[in-house]
Amino acid sequence: MTEVTEAVTRHGGGVWSLRVPIPDNPLGHTLVHVLDTDRGPVLVDTGWDDPESWGELSAGLGALGLSPADVHGVVVTHHHPDHHGLSGRVREESGAWIAMHAADIAVVRRTRDAEPGTWLDYLARKLAAVGAPDEHTAPLRAARAAGGRMRTLPGLRSALPDREIVPGELLDLASRRLRAVWTPGHTPGHVCLHLEEAHPAGLPGHGRLFSGDHLLPGISPHIGLYEDPDDVTGTDPLGDYLDSLERIGRLGVAEVLPAHQHAFTDAAGRVRELLAHHEERLTGLLALLVVPLTPWQLAERMEWNRPWDRIPYGSRNIAVSEAEAHVRRLVKLGRAEPVAGTDPVAYVAV
């Protein structure tokens, strides 16, 4: 692994990564990967839709003797704006195709088609149902009363992909073997991409893995509820994620190329660490649920990277969604249950 510039890393075998900044985010940047093919470069993710991010993506391609107009295709690991955000801009410049798993294409389509205010109504209703106090839902209600103007939020203008990634199948890339592995959990349609080619440095194992946000070297991805106003099925994102982790662990890849932080080896070891982390967290939540708690009350008591009273408004919504996902997993495992007659619903360990 060698750096072409400070923001461009050569991984060998016709693969590079470009550091594309994420505005006002502690993650700092998305690693956009460039895969050389006989039909032209293909990007794995694109970065946040922001002028600075576009400038850095263009500069990174320029360091490789390329421009956005040269891009043949874009493979998106999942719909989040730090991965899919610039896909439309790339397509405008190059005519490139955009591929994504059907479940996340549905999220993009639903978000694009939503009437102004739909998501404000949904979030206010959802937060009230898990026990959020009135002062937390008040800004959502106020924005709705003001006309529900949401068009500045990320994702509402995201490009609609024109190709569907089919799990288990090789993508149509000339001269490369890139196989899609469906890894739901972080989103319902998250995919990892297994480059089934010998490692260029001869590392032992079965190729390389573009892991998106599914498998990261030093952090655990956010696992919350899948955001769908029409969902009444009671999905289990954490269960999906844990199953997906085990699937990735069995691949035996030589190296992982994630969308954040840095490339790393020993995917199986990292999978074991994450499985143990979530089991430890579930056990810790059971200790809190010796008394009935709503998901909001549970989130207030969980350990985060800062005290609850210092967590920003939007991050609290993410935190309570993660608390809900863990509670759903405990209920599905028969280790917790809702308390009859509580409104909002509280849960207790069994």
Side-chain angles (χ1 to χ4, degrees), residues 93-111:
E93 294 284 328
S94 64
W97 47 262
I98 303 172
M100 186 183 287
H101 186 280
D104 272 20
I105 292 176
V107 175
V108 173
R109 180 177 289 110
R110 183 171 61 242
T111 306

Side-chain angles (χ1 to χ4, degrees), residues 6 157 260 274:
E6 184 178 349
R157 295 182 294 111
H260 302 289
L274 287 167

Side-chain angles (χ1 to χ4, degrees), residues 16 80-81 83 114 182 199 201 204 206 219 248 265 285 288 293 305 317:
W16 299 263
H80 287 165
H83 297 258
W182 184 32
H199 192 280
H206 303 294
I219 56 178
I248 289 301
T265 57
L285 297 191
L288 295 173
L293 296 173
N305 60 0
N317 294 342

Side-chain angles (χ1 to χ4, degrees), residues 80-129:
H80 287 165
D82 55 325
H83 297 258
H84 181 44
L86 283 171
S87 300
R89 182 76 184 272
V90 171
R91 183 164 63 187
E92 289 172 6
E93 294 284 328
S94 64
W97 47 262
I98 303 172
M100 186 183 287
H101 186 280
D104 272 20
I105 292 176
V107 175
V108 173
R109 180 177 289 110
R110 183 171 61 242
T111 306
R112 285 167 53 96
D113 293 345
E115 291 297 322
T118 295
W119 289 99
L120 290 172
D121 288 339
Y122 164 65
L123 287 172
R125 185 172 65 249
K126 175 176 175 288
L127 286 165

Side-chain angles (χ1 to χ4, degrees), residues 28-45:
H29 57 269
T30 301
L31 293 175
V32 172
H33 290 93
V34 183
L35 179 64
D36 187 31
T37 82
D38 283 353
R39 297 191 189 116
V42 169
L43 303 184
V44 178
D45 294 330

Side-chain angles (χ1 to χ4, degrees), residues 80 122-123 126-127 130 136 185-186 222-228 235-238 281 285 295-296 298-300 302 304 308 313-329:
H80 287 165
Y122 164 65
L123 287 172
K126 175 176 175 288
L127 286 165
V130 297
H136 187 82
H186 185 57
H222 165 67
I223 308 297
L225 297 191
Y226 301 141
E227 298 293 355
D228 181 357
T235 55
D236 180 18
L238 181 55
R281 190 156 215 196
L285 297 191
W296 183 273
L298 186 60
E300 289 179 313
M302 290 169 67
W304 305 104
W308 182 259
Y313 179 89
S315 297
R316 289 189 181 191
N317 294 342
I318 295 171
V320 75
S321 181
E322 189 154 323
E324 288 181 89
H326 280 73
V327 166
R328 282 198 186 183
R329 185 66 186 154

Side-chain angles (χ1 to χ4, degrees), residues 147-274:
R149 291 184 291 274
M150 297 179 63
R151 293 297 162 187
T152 59
L153 293 182
L156 291 167
R157 295 182 294 111
S158 294
L160 190 64
D162 46 81
R163 290 192 183 185
E164 181 180 320
I165 295 174
V166 179
E169 291 191 0
L170 288 171
L171 278 75
D172 181 21
L173 303 183
S175 72
R176 309 307 297 252
R177 289 186 58 85
L178 189 66
R179 191 177 303 277
V181 184
W182 184 32
T183 50
H186 185 57
T187 71
H190 191 291
V191 293
C192 292
L193 301 150
H194 186 192
L195 189 60
E196 298 178 335
E197 301 169 8
H199 192 280
L203 295 182
H206 303 294
R208 292 178 282 180
L209 186 77
F210 299 104
S211 66
D213 280 1
H214 182 70
L215 192 63
L216 302 170
I219 56 178
S220 176
H222 165 67
I223 308 297
L225 297 191
Y226 301 141
E227 298 293 355
D228 181 357
D230 301 319
D231 174 38
V232 293
T233 60
T235 55
D236 180 18
L238 181 55
D240 291 344
Y241 178 67
L242 299 176
D243 290 344
S244 299
L245 274 179
E246 294 184 344
R247 187 179 310 126
I248 289 301
R250 290 192 293 269
L251 290 178
V253 297
E255 187 176 27
V256 180
L257 304 175
H260 302 289
Q261 299 189 300
H262 55 81
F264 64 101
T265 57
D266 192 16
R270 182 61 181 144
V271 164
R272 289 192 295 271
E273 290 176 356
L274 287 167

